[in-house]
């Protein structure tokens, strides 16, 4: 029997155990998507079993199958937003027996994709992508998933060879845009929940360029199957399918992002980091040479000279176990030579000064750490029984005693020592990596990841912050919902690595599609005097952090600098607005892994009391080739076609323009940064 729902320009139908969602004219969309999985090793295939329609509405279909030869009931729910040509899919799996079942090898969609002469965009493996493009070697400790497509900025992947999306360990943005210029349309395929399963989408070419083989695998990490208790039902993940009447990358994900913001609570909405910035003790020359005196004396300088810097973050180097910080709080505590009074006393001093303390704590350990001598069973292993390592070892969070240890450790840091912010570094390997095998298989890695992030949020004060570090996060909203800001790029280091600055700008261009400042606050790492950068590059980096609202951290040992060194950084931090939308205007330069040259935000840095302020515009000459345009109409910025004062951010020179910004010649590595004010 066939069931169907009609959209504005689309049709959803269920025929012989397969799903069809496509344009009315049949030129774009998904066809014959079957659903299959294994129940205790036995195959369920939606095409081989009878389906019944449950009572539904004009915008919803509910199909159920109860195979006589299998102990599982499968329900497929389909909800169509007819006006938007958007379909939400969710499966439910019910155990009809009095024993525990295991389900595995799940495919929620195995059929055909219609996308003539299609191309794909997906934000994934950003670090690997630009390393490859720039002919730079990938670090040996990066175990990148084989077969995952590397797309970003203008790196569209032409459909044809096998491409797999969603397999990276770097928490990728779980939405894929497949565009067909010849049909002036596209499809968005996205995961709308991430409670147990990842969604990995494979698209493979056929003999023609119109149809492609399509498979959506629901995968787990750490365990090979998911348990369903007796007489119990569990839900699959929500999947978002949308047909778009355009191929515009900058608009493709907007409805998905808006729906996420409506459905979930995101910390970034009310994050303290919107108005309270951070001094960190890592970059710009401190590294592990952190100490009691350094922290407290810098806190006093910050309080006097940087009124919007409200957090003092002690980074790596504090632990009595230098390469195993996570093992220290319940054992030796802080390094007694650097912090003879202990970290609780330092945190109390920071609070007495009128600031708030935060602490870095990594989650990896060397194999020779005392913790593993006492508890060798806590070591996470691979399929072959070898230790699961990055450059260090990882704890097996499937064990209840390990989870209890982690909870007690961070309770000591937060509740006993008094730290109100956490920089959680090297944390994701035991949740996101492939090849690892948990000792206990009661929970998938995503269930454990969500447990851990919620546990930390419950330990932290409501107005405290959580900032994730490595891996390089590719902006999964299902991580972003728990955290206050995201370090999306590489360390600034000594402040003289221009390629690192350009890489960060390039990555943030790709991430600009993922609603930065709304779902997540981008953190570009440190700004400061940056004396090892020449003035042009320093202006560019500071302007970039201003126009994107991502200058959330201040670096350097301020005791070794003079107040005159801080003028530029103070200016950025004093008027920074990290709650504004920004966008690259020449998104997708095709000539290599270089950042877009034109950026605009309806925020940036300004006096918040000036109602005439319209935004900040920057034209960068990143690598000596100049900006991509010499004039930009105000309408291209999304502004009304009126008259504006154009004020140079660095020289304060002014001009009045009625229709466009005229971009002068910009020297190599420098920037033309201006602020716009409407003239009444």
């Amino acid at each position: 029997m066939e069931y169907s729902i009609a959209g504005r320009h689309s049709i959803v139908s269920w025929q012989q155990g397969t799903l069809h969602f496509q344009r009315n004219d049949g030129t774009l969309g998904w066809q014959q998507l079957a659903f299959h999985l294994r129940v205790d090793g036995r195959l369920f295939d939606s095409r081989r079993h009878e389906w019944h329609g449950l009572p539904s509405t004009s915008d919803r279909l509910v199909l159920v199958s109860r195979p006589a030869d299998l102990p599982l009931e499968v329900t497929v729910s389909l909800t169509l937003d007819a006006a938007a040509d958007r379909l939400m899919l969710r499966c439910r799996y019910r155990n009809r027996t009095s024993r525990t079942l295991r389900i595995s090898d799940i495919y929620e969609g195995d059929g055909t994709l219609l996308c003539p002469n299609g191309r794909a965009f997906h934000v994934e493996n950003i670090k690997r992508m630009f390393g490859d493009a720039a002919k730079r070697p990938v670090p040996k400790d990066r175990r990148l998933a084989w077969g995952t497509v590397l797309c970003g900025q203008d790196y569209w992947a032409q459909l044809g060879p096998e491409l797999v999306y969603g397999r990276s360990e770097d928490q990728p943005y779980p939405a894929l845009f497949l565009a067909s210029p010849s049909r002036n349309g596209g499809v968005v395929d996205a995961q709308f929940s991430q409670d147990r399963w990842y969604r990995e989408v494979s698209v493979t070419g056929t003999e023609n360029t119109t149809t492609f083989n399509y498979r959506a695998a629901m995968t787990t990490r750490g365990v090979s199957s998911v348990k369903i208790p007796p007489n119990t039902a569990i839900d699959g993940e929500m999947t978002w399918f949308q047909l778009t009447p355009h191929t515009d990358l900058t608009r493709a994900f907007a409805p998905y992002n808006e729906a996420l913001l409506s459905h979930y609570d995101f910390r970034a909405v009310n994050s303290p980091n919107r108005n309270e910035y951070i001094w960190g003790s890592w970059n710009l020359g401190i590294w592990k040479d952190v100490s009691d005196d350094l922290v407290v004396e810098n806190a006093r300088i910050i309080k006097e000279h940087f009124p919007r810097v409200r957090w003092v973050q002690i980074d790596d180097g504090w632990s009595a176990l230098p390469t195993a910080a996570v093992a220290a709080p319940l054992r030796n505590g802080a390094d007694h030579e650097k912090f003879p009074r202990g970290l609780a006393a330092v945190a109390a001093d920071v609070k007495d000064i009128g600031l708030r303390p935060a602490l870095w704590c990594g989650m990896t350990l060397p194999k020779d750490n005392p913790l593993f001598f006492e508890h060798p069973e806590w070591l996470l292993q691979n399929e072959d029984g070898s230790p699961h390592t990055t450059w260090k070892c990882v704890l097996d969070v499937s064990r209840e005693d390990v989870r209890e240890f982690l909870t007690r450790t961070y309770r000591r840091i937060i509740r006993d020592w008094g730290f109100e912010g956490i920089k959680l570094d090297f944390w994701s390997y035991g949740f996101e990596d492939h090849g690892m095998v948990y000792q206990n298989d009661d929970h998938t890695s995503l269930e454990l990841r969500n447990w851990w992030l919620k546990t930390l949020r419950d330990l932290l004060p409501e107005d405290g912050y959580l900032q994730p570090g490595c891996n390089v996060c590719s902006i999964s909203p299902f991580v972003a919902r728990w955290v206050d800001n995201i370090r999306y790029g590489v360390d600034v280091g000594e402040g003289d690595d221009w390629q690192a600055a350009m890489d960060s700008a390039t990555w943030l261009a790709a991430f600009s599609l993922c609603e930065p400042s709304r779902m997540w606050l981008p953190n570009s790492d440190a700004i400061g005097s940056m004396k090892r950068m020449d003035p042009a590059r320093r202006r560019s980096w500071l302007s970039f952090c201003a126009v994107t609202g991502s200058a959330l951290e201040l670096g350097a040992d301020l005791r070794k600098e003079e107040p005159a060194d801080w003028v530029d950084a103070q200016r950025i931090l004093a008027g920074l607005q990290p709650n504004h939308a920004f966008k690259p205007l020449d998104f997708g330069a095709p000539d290599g892994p270089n950042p877009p040259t034109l950026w605009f935000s309806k925020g940036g840095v300004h006096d918040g009391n000036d109602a005439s302020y319209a935004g900040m515009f920057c034209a960068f000459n990143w690598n000596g080739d100049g900006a991509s345009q010499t004039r930009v109409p105000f309408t291209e910025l999304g502004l009304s076609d009126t008259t504006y004062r154009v004020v140079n951010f660095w020289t304060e020179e002014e001009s009045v323009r009625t229709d466009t910004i005229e971009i002068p010649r910009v020297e190599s590595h420098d920037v033309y940064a201006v602020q716009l004010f409407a003239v009444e």
Side-chain angles (χ1 to χ4, degrees):
M1 186 172 179
E2 180 176 340
Y3 303 87
S4 63
I5 325 173
R8 184 178 181 185
H9 303 292
S10 61
I11 184 76
V12 179
S13 63
W14 183 266
Q15 306 170 29
Q16 298 178 330
T18 63
L19 170 65
H20 303 245
F21 179 42
Q22 56 194 332
R23 273 186 182 175
N24 288 333
D25 61 7
T27 61
L28 192 68
W30 296 264
Q31 287 184 333
Q32 298 179 327
L33 298 187
F35 295 73
H36 45 90
L37 67 148
R38 291 195 176 273
V39 188
D40 287 346
R42 299 167 62 192
L43 178 66
F44 169 88
D45 187 328
S46 63
R47 295 164 293 192
R48 299 178 183 177
H49 298 288
E50 187 176 354
W51 291 83
H52 302 280
L54 298 182
S56 56
T57 60
S58 60
D59 64 348
R60 191 163 186 258
L61 291 176
V62 180
L63 296 310
V64 63
S65 179
R66 303 181 182 93
D69 59 339
L70 290 173
L72 192 72
E73 173 187 286
V74 179
T75 302
V76 177
S77 298
L78 305 167
T79 304
L80 179 68
D81 183 330
D85 294 314
R86 179 177 69 242
L87 180 67
M88 293 291 287
L89 160 72
R90 189 163 211 172
C91 296
R92 173 169 287 183
Y93 305 103
R94 180 179 296 279
N95 182 349
R96 296 188 288 161
T97 73
S98 58
R99 60 184 176 84
T100 297
L101 298 179
R102 292 176 178 268
I103 59 174
S104 61
D105 302 310
I106 301 170
Y107 290 87
E108 293 183 353
D110 183 358
T112 300
L113 173 71
L114 292 172
C115 191
N117 303 112
R119 57 184 185 172
F121 180 92
H122 184 56
V123 180
E124 184 162 355
N125 280 355
I126 294 293
K127 196 170 190 175
R128 169 68 179 269
M129 173 182 69
F130 290 106
D132 283 358
K135 304 291 190 291
R136 294 198 302 276
V138 178
K140 292 181 180 179
D141 61 358
R142 299 290 300 121
R143 297 176 312 287
L144 295 160
W146 182 255
T148 301
V149 70
L150 309 176
C151 301
Q153 206 185 4
D154 195 45
Y155 288 74
W156 288 94
Q158 198 68 32
L159 295 183
E162 180 178 10
L163 303 173
V164 181
Y165 309 88
R167 190 175 286 175
S168 161
E169 306 98 338
D170 285 344
Q171 305 136 35
Y173 180 68
L176 165 67
F177 185 42
L178 300 145
S180 174
S182 66
R183 293 295 183 265
N184 193 31
V187 300
V188 176
D189 185 310
Q191 191 167 0
F192 200 74
S193 68
Q194 206 171 73
D195 299 325
R196 289 185 178 89
W197 287 281
Y198 296 91
R199 181 176 174 82
E200 297 181 11
V201 176
S202 170
V203 183
T204 310
T206 59
E207 293 180 357
N208 60 60
T209 59
T210 298
T211 61
F212 301 88
N213 296 323
Y214 170 95
R215 301 188 89 192
M218 309 306 294
T219 64
T220 55
R221 298 175 194 170
V223 299
S224 59
S225 61
V226 172
K227 295 179 179 179
I228 309 180
N231 301 304
T232 301
I234 63 172
D235 286 326
E237 307 298 347
M238 288 187 284
T239 300
W240 169 291
F241 293 125
Q242 185 160 24
L243 300 172
T244 69
H246 61 79
T247 61
D248 184 354
L249 183 58
T250 63
R251 292 190 288 149
F253 301 123
Y256 170 67
N257 293 332
E258 288 296 331
L260 286 169
L261 284 158
S262 296
H263 191 81
Y264 296 101
D265 293 326
F266 286 88
R267 280 289 304 178
V269 174
N270 296 304
S271 169
N273 298 142
R274 286 195 178 277
N275 296 298
E276 301 176 355
Y277 308 136
I278 304 162
W279 173 85
S281 68
W282 183 253
N283 288 300
L284 304 180
I286 300 178
W287 314 125
K288 292 189 176 184
D289 294 332
V290 63
S291 66
D292 187 321
D293 290 345
L294 183 147
V295 171
V296 174
E297 290 171 18
N298 271 274
R300 293 193 178 101
I301 296 171
I302 291 162
K303 180 65 176 176
E304 180 179 356
H305 295 279
F306 295 90
R308 293 188 71 187
V309 176
R310 302 288 299 159
W311 292 87
V312 173
Q313 180 175 279
I314 301 173
D315 214 289
D316 193 9
W318 60 265
S319 169
L321 301 170
T323 59
V326 73
L330 299 180
R331 300 175 64 88
N332 314 66
D335 183 312
H336 298 295
E337 291 188 8
K338 295 179 179 179
F339 295 94
R341 300 183 300 147
L343 284 181
V346 177
D349 280 359
V350 170
K351 292 177 182 178
D352 289 343
I353 291 168
L355 302 177
R356 306 185 67 184
L359 189 70
W360 173 97
C361 193
M363 285 183 62
T364 54
L365 298 161
K367 193 174 181 180
D368 60 356
N369 183 268
L371 192 64
F372 286 137
F373 289 126
E374 296 175 11
H375 297 284
E377 72 278 10
W378 286 10
L379 185 65
L380 182 61
Q381 296 183 340
N382 294 315
E383 295 172 353
D384 62 2
S386 62
H388 183 78
T389 61
T390 54
W391 46 290
K392 295 183 185 177
C393 295
V394 183
L395 292 167
D396 186 339
V397 290
S398 75
R399 296 180 57 96
E400 187 175 354
D401 49 1
V402 169
R403 296 197 297 275
E404 192 268 341
F405 164 77
L406 288 171
T407 302
R408 287 194 299 119
T409 294
Y410 282 82
R411 183 181 290 117
R412 173 69 56 85
I413 292 170
I414 296 166
R415 301 287 175 84
D416 297 345
W417 291 355
F419 287 93
E420 299 175 336
I422 292 292
K423 180 179 177 182
L424 188 68
D425 216 350
F426 307 111
W427 71 280
S428 60
Y429 306 112
F431 302 101
E432 309 286 353
D433 281 4
H434 296 265
M436 62 182 181
V437 176
Y438 289 150
Q439 294 178 44
N440 298 320
D441 62 358
D442 293 332
H443 303 286
T444 71
S445 66
L446 283 175
E447 290 178 288
L448 292 170
R449 184 189 77 183
N450 294 340
W451 161 81
W452 179 228
L453 294 175
K454 182 180 185 303
T455 296
L456 287 172
R457 283 259 58 105
D458 290 344
L459 288 172
L460 286 164
E462 177 59 31
D463 60 350
Y465 75 78
L466 177 60
Q467 171 186 311
C470 295
N471 292 351
V472 172
C473 180
S474 297
I475 319 304
S476 166
F478 306 111
V479 173
R481 58 181 294 222
W482 299 102
V483 302
D484 291 270
N485 73 77
I486 291 179
R487 274 287 315 282
Y488 66 87
V490 295
D491 285 358
V492 167
E494 291 282 5
D496 57 353
D497 187 343
W498 184 239
Q499 186 60 53
M502 289 207 302
D503 284 349
S504 290
T506 309
W507 300 346
L508 193 52
F511 297 149
S512 70
L513 302 170
C514 314
E515 290 294 326
S517 83
R518 299 185 69 200
M519 284 196 289
W520 58 286
L521 290 182
N523 181 340
S524 289
D525 203 18
I527 67 169
S529 61
M530 308 186 87
K531 295 179 180 180
R532 295 180 62 162
M533 252 189 197
D534 66 66
R537 288 182 171 93
R538 184 166 61 247
R539 277 191 298 272
S540 285
W541 178 245
L542 292 175
S543 297
F544 172 76
C545 292
V547 75
T548 58
S550 59
L552 303 186
E553 292 191 38
L554 176 69
D557 184 350
L558 303 176
R559 302 174 304 174
K560 299 178 180 179
E561 298 181 343
E562 299 296 329
D565 298 328
W566 309 329
V567 172
D568 289 344
Q570 285 172 322
R571 186 178 182 192
I572 297 293
L573 293 171
L576 186 71
Q577 293 190 87
N579 57 347
H580 64 265
F582 63 87
K583 62 178 181 179
L585 302 177
D586 52 346
F587 184 89
D591 55 348
N594 297 314
T597 62
L598 307 177
W599 295 72
F600 177 72
S601 67
K602 290 187 177 180
V605 177
H606 80 287
D607 180 354
N609 296 319
D610 191 338
S612 69
Y613 181 74
M616 184 174 189
F617 171 82
C618 293
F620 296 93
N621 185 354
W622 295 106
N623 57 9
D625 294 335
S628 64
Q629 298 172 218
T630 58
R631 59 196 308 272
V632 178
F634 291 141
T635 53
E636 192 174 327
L637 306 181
L639 301 177
S640 59
D641 193 3
T642 185
T643 301
Y644 293 90
R645 283 192 305 121
V646 180
V647 182
N648 190 299
F649 183 76
W650 295 108
T651 68
E652 299 186 353
E653 295 176 352
E654 291 191 23
S655 63
V656 176
R657 305 293 306 175
T658 57
D659 53 1
T660 63
I661 294 178
E662 299 287 343
I663 302 173
R665 182 177 182 274
V666 181
E667 296 296 329
S668 181
H669 306 136
D670 213 335
V671 62
Y672 176 64
V674 296
Q675 296 172 295
L676 306 178
F677 299 84
V679 176
E680 296 183 0

